[in-house]
Amino acid sequence: LNIAHKFGRSVVMKGIYPGYYPDEVRSILDGKAIFVNIERNPLDACVSILKARRHRFGDESQWFAWKPFADEFEKLKRLDVYEQIVEQVTWFQKYYKAIADVTVDLETVCEKPDQVVGMFGKVQRKTPKEKLRFHRHTDTERDLFRGL
């Protein structure tokens, strides 16, 4: 991020840290970051997670994919497998909508990518205070992120 910013270049990325630390990313890029939430059909996402649990672990009760923040994850761990997966997908959809500057469905991205890219110049970027707070980051978490 810092290298792209230094040379005035754009960067597109997908990853766990930008999503978990949007305030820091926005700060590093002087508020020029655009967070795009590409939303998948929730049922497709749930089926995919269930299949991945079975394929990777041979056990659908084993957690697969990103975890919500600790307090929410503790609640989800106590649910049965199917409720867990539905709540996992629901939590992340709400979270990403809350931090995103724009949300677009996956089908539109696949069918009309030029239209989606064209939207970016018209996006009203969020500031850190505008987004919903899901988690208070500890100083240790912030230091780890800054060190990346």
Side-chain angles (χ1 to χ4, degrees), residues 21 24 135-144 146:
Y21 301 98
E24 288 78 0
H135 174 70
R136 289 196 180 108
H137 299 293
T138 66
D139 289 338
T140 304
E141 288 173 324
R142 289 181 192 282
D143 290 343
L144 283 172
R146 286 187 183 112

Side-chain angles (χ1 to χ4, degrees), residues 1-145:
L1 288 177
N2 287 325
I3 292 172
H5 178 67
K6 169 99 172 122
F7 293 102
R9 300 289 187 187
S10 299
V11 62
V12 175
M13 70 172 95
K14 174 189 173 203
I16 194 168
Y17 292 110
Y20 278 159
Y21 301 98
D23 289 349
E24 288 78 0
V25 172
R26 284 186 170 102
S27 175
I28 289 169
L29 297 176
D30 295 331
K32 294 177 185 171
I34 298 174
F35 280 79
V36 179
N37 173 32
I38 300 173
E39 199 164 69
R40 187 175 178 192
N41 175 296
L43 182 58
D44 291 344
C46 290
V47 169
S48 179
I49 290 170
L50 182 63
K51 285 180 179 179
R53 285 180 176 201
R54 289 174 178 162
H55 176 75
R56 184 168 233 191
F57 304 112
D59 177 3
E60 59 192 35
S61 69
Q62 296 296 312
W63 191 270
F64 179 81
W66 296 2
K67 297 175 183 173
F69 297 122
D71 54 343
E72 188 65 24
F73 181 61
E74 288 304 315
K75 292 177 198 172
L76 297 186
K77 285 193 322 188
R78 293 188 282 269
L79 300 174
D80 82 8
V81 169
Y82 303 103
E83 288 177 302
Q84 218 178 60
I85 292 171
V86 168
E87 291 301 319
Q88 177 184 4
V89 168
T90 301
W91 189 90
F92 275 104
Q93 282 188 333
K94 287 179 186 176
Y95 176 74
Y96 288 129
K97 277 184 182 174
I99 67 167
D101 298 302
V102 62
T103 295
V104 62
D105 61 90
L106 180 61
E107 290 78 17
T108 302
V109 172
C110 294
E111 294 168 8
K112 302 174 186 173
D114 292 343
Q115 179 183 342
V116 172
V117 171
M119 294 170 30
F120 298 158
K122 302 170 189 150
V123 168
Q124 179 67 36
R125 292 178 184 95
K126 291 184 179 177
T127 61
K129 291 179 178 65
E130 292 178 62
K131 71 171 191 60
L132 180 60
R133 282 256 175 223
F134 275 78
H135 174 70
R136 289 196 180 108
H137 299 293
T138 66
D139 289 338
T140 304
E141 288 173 324
R142 289 181 192 282
D143 290 343
L144 283 172
F145 179 77

